[in-house]
Amino acid sequence: MTIATKTKYQLETFWVPGGQDENPAYALSLTNNTDQPLEGFTLCVSGPARIDPEATVEGGRLLTRLSNHAEFAPPEGFVLKPGETWTVKALGMSYHPKHWTDGANAGYVVLADNNTVPVSVAPTRAKGDNAALTRGSVVYPVPKVAPVSVSVVPWPSAVSVSGRLAPPVGLDLQSEGAEADAAVQSFKSLTGGLFPVEGIVRPAAEGGFPVLLTLADGLAAEAYSVRFSTSRVTVSASASTGFLYGLITLAQILRGARLHPETFLFPASGEITDEPALGWRGVHLDVARQFYGTAEIEQFLRIMAWNKLNRFHWHLSDDEAWRVEIDAYPALTEIGAWRGHGLKIPPLLGSGPQVTGGYYSKAAIRQIVALAGNLGIEVVPEIDVPGHCYAMLQAIPELRDPAESGSYFSVQGFPDNCINPAREETYRVLETIFDELIELFPSKIIHIGADEVPLGAWSGSPEALARLRDVSGEAMATAHAARLNVITNTHGADEIDGSGAAVLQAEFLARIQNFLASRGCVTGGWQEAAHGNVIDKSKSLLFGWRTVEASAALAGEGYDMVVCPGQVYYLDMANSQAWSEPGASWAGWSDPEKLYAFDPVEGWSEAQKKHLLGVQCCIWSEPMTDRGVFDRLVFPRLSALAETGWSLPERKSFARFEALVGLMPILYGVYAEK
């Protein structure tokens, strides 16, 4: 028999939004469950909640604040007796928490001898909200009567089927030619990974229904047709990806008919013809804030393929971590891939005092890229520069001007997080890193970030100010130097157009793009890469994350655009405004229906639409410590985005989507309690 015991120390956090009689306040209460007094200690917590560096703190002192990592000390001489609680209250947050995952989700006590003790942390509660906290994907039950007779997500271009066969137990695939053979092997691997015991692919000896794959000239690479008869199914395509997508559609129909025969049928006749509306149907995954192992990435790629998504934007570096092996600079992963108490990168975003993190070896990356290629997915790596480089600078401090003084701060509360564009060492290091990356990623699209450079970046660097003086004159350099030690970006990302930071960033971007172009690569960047209008539009693409209107304006300037506005397509945003929902809401919120109905090119002119590459959802991982939160935030919104990218607007129907999406797989299998 197991006897339950209390943890030594327990932390509860509480958010008071403020009102007529009280100011907004964030309270942290530590309870001593031991039989010994606690003294000479400090309390460390990590967010996403960020204490404002100028906050007033009651009941203790704020010793350290690095982004969402905060260390508090009680008053001098304070003793936390057994069974008692100490409360420290911060009157000032960098942003006001809106959801239960905004608060502290990890903590530990540092004892007087510098040893650490983990603390049990309860989800943050908000004053006036007692609703049950939610996690796990919302369950979308398959109805008895659906708007359509076959189950396919995303919905095809044309569906004309009739009759009903008894659903076969599996599919006996008969391929002709290299393209079809490759698709069969990929499909076997895909279904075996997603549905290992269903036996979707099986020989005739085990009851597999004949499926013939035939080459059809004239179809686009991702297009296909599926023709049904009583004796066999014929899948036609011109390329392996088209064959794979045809087989995925057929398998979705089979699963629907087998699992819900009262709702869906397996057709006896008719045809489905299909091709995507948009060429770029992407998903961005941030692996810097939280780390996902190779097995998780591979399963996520399988789910992407099942949704006919074809671009995996892999966010491999940020302030919080560096996640890719670089032979020339082993310190990047030795230092930048790990967080923990006493390390150069402290516990952040739910990591405790123990060493946590990880990185992708080159062997793992090759394995992942190969799987993606077999599934029709291009992998686009991102190394975010020149901002969001705190982890990189901890590993390679030479990328900062050694004479730099003072500090500037990023929107996420990291000091001095930009590599210096005025240093030749910066370009030598980056060119070496990019050369190693290019060898790993055959897509030859290298995303360089370029977002959220702080307004005061490099304002204390003599090298940067000298370069700015040469380029833009004394007045600009003097104005920029005045931004040193000014706490900017406390509540949002500053617009830097026209600033010294924008001028220096533009010089940096032009040089990096020229280098990548010399290696035969296209440069990707967030929309801030357009600062200064210096990058070659014919060799670049931009990702519009702020608004549809901003993306349209950039398209009008001739930039090729992937549309991913944070208000709707950022999947770390909560499903509703309720405190009980996990996620964030600094950009907005969007439930599956809102995302599904969203028009990514509303108001665009025909000339602007010529520069539309496609759409992408972005998974930022700040709230993803709990994988049940991942499933709730990502699914089924990922499938809603997939249908926007694949199906023409006039073919969309949320009522149909809602009836079918419950059959789509999710990553961790965590569903919300009914």
Side-chain angles (χ1 to χ4, degrees):
M1 182 176 70
T2 301
I3 300 175
T5 58
K6 288 185 178 180
T7 56
K8 288 185 175 181
Y9 306 108
Q10 182 176 351
L11 180 68
E12 294 181 306
T13 57
F14 196 71
W15 168 244
V16 178
Q20 290 184 344
D21 301 324
E22 52 192 341
N23 294 320
Y26 183 59
L28 303 94
S29 296
L30 179 70
T31 300
N32 182 356
N33 291 324
T34 75
D35 58 3
Q36 298 294 319
L38 180 64
E39 56 185 315
F41 69 94
T42 59
L43 171 66
C44 297
V45 297
S46 65
R50 296 195 297 273
I51 310 299
D52 195 284
E54 297 185 334
T56 298
V57 177
E58 298 178 350
R61 294 167 292 142
L62 177 63
L63 300 181
T64 301
R65 183 263 199 187
L66 178 71
S67 186
N68 55 80
H69 174 84
E71 184 172 356
F72 296 94
E76 291 290 338
F78 177 83
V79 177
L80 184 58
K81 297 177 181 178
E84 293 189 351
T85 298
W86 164 58
T87 297
V88 59
K89 186 180 294 185
L91 306 177
M93 303 291 288
S94 289
Y95 65 91
H96 285 188
K98 301 292 185 183
H99 304 276
W100 68 266
T101 49
D102 281 336
N105 50 27
Y108 60 98
V109 167
V110 182
L111 303 175
D113 61 4
N114 205 39
N115 285 319
T116 62
V117 180
V119 170
S120 172
V121 181
T124 301
R125 302 304 309 218
K127 181 180 180 180
D129 195 314
N130 296 312
L133 305 182
T134 56
R135 59 189 295 276
S137 177
V138 174
V139 177
Y140 282 77
V142 174
K144 292 291 184 182
V145 178
V148 290
S149 60
V150 292
S151 177
V152 185
V153 176
W155 190 248
S157 304
V159 180
S160 179
V161 296
S162 60
R164 180 189 295 266
L165 292 179
V169 292
L171 306 172
D172 178 25
L173 306 182
Q174 304 164 13
S175 57
E176 298 176 355
E179 297 286 340
D181 290 344
V184 166
Q185 294 306 311
S186 296
F187 183 70
K188 285 180 178 178
S189 173
L190 174 62
T191 55
L194 290 177
F195 315 107
V197 299
E198 292 189 20
I200 290 174
V201 177
R202 61 176 72 197
E206 296 182 12
F209 192 74
V211 178
L212 179 63
L213 280 67
T214 63
L215 195 64
D217 293 332
L219 291 178
E222 294 184 310
Y224 66 89
S225 70
V226 181
R227 295 190 303 277
F228 296 89
S229 73
T230 56
S231 59
R232 71 180 182 187
V233 175
T234 303
V235 177
S236 300
S238 68
S240 60
T241 302
F243 280 120
L244 177 63
Y245 287 165
L247 290 172
I248 289 170
T249 291
L250 178 59
Q252 289 185 3
I253 291 172
L254 173 61
R255 294 190 76 244
R258 283 180 58 183
L259 297 173
H260 299 277
E262 73 285 357
T263 304
F264 302 117
L265 57 81
F266 190 85
S269 63
E271 184 176 16
I272 293 173
T273 58
D274 201 10
E275 64 179 332
L278 297 174
W280 188 292
R281 305 178 305 282
V283 182
H284 159 287
L285 180 63
D286 160 26
V287 300
R289 275 57 179 262
Q290 309 291 346
F291 183 68
Y292 304 81
T294 295
E296 293 169 282
I297 298 294
E298 291 183 336
Q299 190 72 345
F300 188 69
L301 289 170
R302 295 184 187 102
I303 292 172
M304 283 182 59
W306 200 252
N307 284 272
K308 300 187 178 79
L309 294 160
N310 67 353
R311 298 292 191 279
F312 178 53
H313 177 171
W314 203 359
H315 189 84
L316 290 165
S317 76
D318 215 297
D319 291 310
E320 293 86 350
W322 180 281
R323 301 295 193 198
V324 55
E325 179 182 32
I326 300 296
D327 293 334
Y329 300 103
L332 284 169
T333 48
E334 291 171 355
I335 294 173
W338 308 98
R339 303 199 284 257
H341 180 71
L343 300 184
K344 287 193 174 183
I345 304 176
L348 296 167
L349 295 167
S351 59
Q354 72 280 4
V355 177
T356 58
Y359 65 92
Y360 305 100
S361 68
K362 288 189 171 182
I365 289 173
R366 291 188 180 99
Q367 177 179 319
I368 289 166
V369 169
L371 173 64
N374 291 337
L375 296 175
I377 298 169
E378 284 191 17
V379 182
V380 177
E382 179 184 354
I383 299 298
D384 201 349
V385 289
H388 285 284
C389 287
Y390 185 83
M392 186 182 189
L393 283 160
Q394 301 313 297
I396 311 178
E398 295 81 6
L399 301 181
R400 189 171 190 245
D401 182 350
E404 189 167 349
S405 62
S407 284
Y408 55 87
F409 300 87
S410 75
V411 60
Q412 286 84 15
F414 286 95
D416 312 316
N417 72 330
C418 301
I419 58 177
N420 198 304
R423 308 210 79 211
E424 281 304 310
E425 181 74 359
T426 295
Y427 301 100
R428 187 181 69 80
V429 169
L430 283 182
E431 289 173 8
T432 302
I433 289 171
F434 284 132
D435 272 337
E436 291 197 30
L437 275 181
I438 291 165
E439 187 270 331
L440 293 170
F441 294 95
S443 73
K444 294 296 184 284
I445 302 173
I446 304 295
H447 197 295
I448 62 169
D451 62 315
E452 296 184 334
V453 167
L455 189 61
W458 314 297
S459 54
S461 163
E463 291 179 339
L465 292 172
R467 182 60 187 159
L468 187 57
R469 193 172 291 109
D470 290 344
V471 173
S472 298
E474 183 63 41
M476 174 72 80
T478 300
H480 193 58
R483 294 193 171 103
L484 187 63
N485 295 326
V486 175
I487 298 178
T488 62
N489 289 314
T490 302
H491 300 290
D494 286 332
E495 295 286 356
I496 67 170
D497 282 327
S499 70
V503 171
L504 292 167
Q505 184 198 34
E507 285 226 318
F508 171 88
L509 294 175
R511 183 158 172 181
I512 293 299
Q513 188 194 38
N514 285 336
F515 168 77
L516 291 174
S518 75
R519 298 296 196 263
C521 294
V522 171
T523 299
W526 301 105
Q527 66 186 65
E528 290 96 324
H531 284 314
N533 196 31
V534 295
I535 61 174
D536 185 340
K537 297 180 179 67
S538 69
K539 299 173 184 176
S540 64
L541 64 151
L542 298 183
F543 295 71
W545 67 274
R546 289 183 182 266
T547 63
V548 168
E549 293 77 15
S551 292
L554 289 167
E557 295 175 22
Y559 291 99
D560 289 338
M561 299 299 301
V562 176
V563 179
C564 48
Q567 304 93 330
V568 183
Y569 286 170
Y570 272 27
L571 299 191
D572 55 317
M573 297 298 110
N575 279 277
S576 82
Q577 299 179 70
W579 177 269
S580 56
E581 284 288 345
S585 60
W586 58 264
W589 65 274
S590 65
D591 62 16
E593 185 171 7
K594 182 178 178 180
L595 191 152
Y596 187 91
F598 182 75
D599 182 358
V601 290
E602 182 179 5
W604 286 43
S605 69
E606 291 305 311
Q608 289 168 332
K609 288 179 182 178
K610 290 179 181 178
H611 290 283
L612 174 68
L613 298 181
V615 293
Q616 177 170 291
C617 59
C618 297
I619 303 169
W620 298 99
S621 292
E622 283 91 340
M624 305 296 191
T625 304
D626 182 336
R627 295 314 204 222
V629 169
F630 185 102
D631 276 350
R632 187 170 191 85
L633 292 174
V634 174
F635 305 105
R637 292 192 292 183
L638 180 139
S639 294
L641 183 282
E643 190 143 316
T644 295
W646 186 277
S647 306
L648 292 170
E650 60 269 21
R651 299 286 291 169
K652 293 175 67 178
S653 161
F654 187 74
R656 180 196 63 231
F657 174 83
E658 193 174 30
L660 307 183
V661 77
L663 283 162
M664 301 298 282
I666 68 176
L667 186 55
Y668 297 104
V670 181
Y671 288 93
E673 296 180 3
K674 295 183 180 179

